[in-house]
Amino acid sequence: MFIRTNLIYLANFKKISFYKIAKSTGITSGNLSDIIHFRKKQENLSILTIKKLADFFKISIDDLVNKVSVK
């Protein structure tokens, strides 16, 4: 799973802060921070959280989860 890698890449590529991602998706900044800093196992993320992130970046869930460095 490449959620963490893709999340960091997409935020940097699109020049969007993690705070803005959290506010725009309704995911708590603490939960987002846990994902980014490996404090939460990617395998334990809810599908709702994954869907919110994929929708925010306008990519498929499959791309967010299974591809490296999606655009």
Side-chain angles (χ1 to χ4, degrees):
M1 291 178 64
F2 298 104
I3 296 169
R4 178 188 176 276
T5 304
N6 286 332
L7 184 56
I8 292 169
Y9 174 80
L10 288 164
N12 289 331
F13 181 76
K14 295 186 181 259
K15 296 180 173 96
I16 300 171
S17 71
F18 292 113
Y19 176 79
K20 182 174 181 179
I21 295 169
K23 285 293 186 185
S24 297
T25 60
I27 298 169
T28 66
S29 53
N31 194 11
L32 197 56
S33 179
D34 287 348
I35 296 166
I36 295 163
H37 298 291
F38 286 115
R39 291 188 295 259
K40 187 167 194 167
K41 291 186 178 184
Q42 294 181 33
E43 295 82 8
N44 293 336
L45 292 176
S46 75
I47 189 66
L48 182 57
T49 298
I50 295 169
K51 181 169 179 5
K52 285 179 181 180
L53 291 169
D55 289 348
F56 177 79
F57 287 108
K58 296 179 176 71
I59 60 174
S60 70
I61 291 172
D62 185 54
D63 285 349
L64 181 64
V65 174
N66 294 317
K67 291 188 179 178
V68 178
S69 300
V70 295
K71 290 185 183 177

